[in-house]
Amino acid sequence: MDFGDIIARFWFAILSMLAYPLVSWAIYRRVKNPHSALMLAYLGGLMFLPERVQFDLPLLPPVGKQEFAAIMGIIGLRKPLRARYKKQGFLRGPEGLVLLLAIGCFFTAMTNRDPVIYGFHSEFEIPGMTPYDALSDAIREVVFIAFPFYLGRIAYQEADDLKHLMQSMAKAGLVYSVFCWFEFVFSPQLHDIFYNFKQHDFNQCRRWGGWRPMVFMQHGLAVANFMMVAAIASNTVARARQRVWGVGGTAVAWYSNIMLVLMKSTGALMYGMITIPLTKYARLSTLSRVIMVLVFFTVMYPVAKVAGFFPDKALIELSTNMVAAERGESLAFRFSNEA
């Protein structure tokens, strides 16, 4: 497919990505509430822009909708939140830890210089990594991880900021649920209808005897995780006895919980089953303890894997016997790639 064919087939997807910086800049300029502007521009981009459309410039990592959203958010909020920007500069907070990941990219390149050959007849070859790859990956870590973290740290510091965030996420979940219902019935087709291509393997859209929506995100798992966050936000709103677009928070929370189940994602559902009751009923002290435990296991997980005492096989058997054979295969696939 030559350049002309690419433009002819994917013109709307390319135009959407090119127009996004201008549209988001207009939103940041015209919407007076900076948090409303951030949610409209940032979440709007993540929810509706095409997947797999990236601009790969020299040296820089490929820039897609997530990178665009973070970059435009930092630029767009610099004027309305200038006091916070001056007080808390970039990389002066926890996002500065991303520099360790950036340094790690160079060690990764140094230890992966050999090409990888694969395929039934060994016909495919991935070239070994170079210092160029290391620098590009290091920049990507900063843009992909540090930029969104810094944007959140600047924008959400006070109680009213967080209330607005929970309201916005609850509303985003309600909006996206409309598109999810379409794909529950007609299968994941929206990305293909609007952008003329499917963003992922269609074979992974069937789960639990029904369709798992992808809408405009990279995979059904991404949509499920998004709806899980929306459900947590909705339950937070319900606990605060707030309304969403005039609807009682409790009703919105129940609807969001049902949508999470309908997403047909075992991982997102398990996260929701743990976090939603904590969000709805636990005290702040209990939440703090749970967070500490989660952080401990997060830090210990790679240690346990390297040391060789993490129970991979036991977890695969448990998933196979208690959930489904395909869930066990999925978990085994992840462990295999991780190794």
Side-chain angles (χ1 to χ4, degrees), residues 59 98-113 129-142:
L59 185 62
V98 78
L99 294 177
L100 296 176
L101 295 177
I103 294 172
C105 292
F106 289 90
F107 287 100
T108 299
M110 289 171 58
T111 54
N112 288 273
R113 295 180 177 179
M129 297 187 71
T130 65
Y132 181 95
D133 298 317
L135 183 58
S136 179
D137 288 347
I139 296 173
R140 183 181 185 278
E141 297 289 355
V142 174

Side-chain angles (χ1 to χ4, degrees), residues 166 170 227-242 244 249-250 252-258 260 272 275-281:
M166 294 298 104
M227 297 303 289
M228 182 264 295
V229 174
I232 294 173
S234 300
N235 282 273
T236 304
V237 170
R239 182 170 182 173
R241 296 192 174 124
Q242 296 178 336
V244 180
T250 301
V252 174
W254 274 107
Y255 175 76
S256 299
N257 296 342
I258 293 171
L260 176 58
T275 55
I276 289 174
L278 290 170
T279 302
K280 196 74 181 289
Y281 303 110

Side-chain angles (χ1 to χ4, degrees), residues 9 13 30 79 121 138 143 178 225 231 239 241 261 277 290 337:
R9 179 175 178 182
R30 297 183 66 87
K79 184 176 180 180
H121 296 292
V143 175
V178 177
N225 286 329
R239 182 170 182 173
R241 296 192 174 124
V261 176
V290 171
N337 280 274

Side-chain angles (χ1 to χ4, degrees), residues 12-214:
F12 187 60
I14 297 171
L15 180 63
S16 299
M17 290 295 292
L18 290 174
Y20 174 70
L22 298 176
V23 173
S24 61
W25 178 249
I27 291 173
Y28 286 116
R29 295 278 292 184
R30 297 183 66 87
V31 178
K32 294 183 179 180
N33 186 322
H35 297 94
S36 297
L38 176 61
M39 288 294 99
L40 284 172
Y42 193 94
L43 279 183
L46 296 185
M47 291 166 64
F48 295 111
L49 284 177
E51 287 287 343
R52 299 178 64 184
V53 178
Q54 298 176 320
F55 299 99
D56 195 356
L57 302 176
L59 185 62
L60 296 177
V63 177
K65 66 180 183 180
Q66 296 187 49
E67 292 81 10
F68 263 141
I71 293 170
M72 291 308 303
I74 290 177
I75 296 173
L77 292 183
R78 179 163 290 277
K79 184 176 180 180
L81 299 179
R82 64 171 64 90
R84 296 186 184 183
Y85 275 78
K86 289 181 180 180
K87 186 178 179 180
Q88 302 180 22
F90 183 56
L91 298 180
R92 297 180 190 173
E95 72 275 359
L97 292 173
V98 78
L99 294 177
L100 296 176
L101 295 177
I103 294 172
C105 292
F106 289 90
F107 287 100
T108 299
M110 289 171 58
T111 54
N112 288 273
R113 295 180 177 179
D114 297 328
V116 176
I117 300 174
Y118 66 101
F120 188 74
H121 296 292
S122 301
E123 65 269 34
F124 301 108
E125 178 177 331
I126 301 175
M129 297 187 71
T130 65
Y132 181 95
D133 298 317
L135 183 58
S136 179
D137 288 347
I139 296 173
R140 183 181 185 278
E141 297 289 355
V142 174
V143 175
F144 191 74
I145 298 176
F147 276 20
F149 190 96
Y150 178 63
L151 184 59
R153 185 166 69 87
I154 290 295
Y156 299 101
Q157 297 183 358
E158 301 175 0
D160 288 341
D161 300 340
L162 294 174
K163 289 179 182 178
H164 190 282
L165 176 62
M166 294 298 104
Q167 281 276 346
S168 299
M169 283 304 308
K171 292 175 181 178
L174 292 178
V175 170
Y176 227 48
S177 71
V178 177
F179 300 92
C180 290
W181 279 110
F182 177 90
E183 294 198 342
F184 286 148
V185 177
F186 298 105
S187 79
Q189 299 290 340
L190 288 171
H191 199 282
D192 195 19
I193 292 172
F194 281 88
Y195 296 119
N196 207 25
F197 68 97
K198 295 190 187 309
Q199 68 271 48
H200 205 279
D201 185 1
F202 195 75
N203 292 329
Q204 297 187 17
C205 297
R206 193 79 177 175
R207 288 291 185 275
W208 301 2
W211 297 112
R212 181 168 65 180
M214 291 193 294

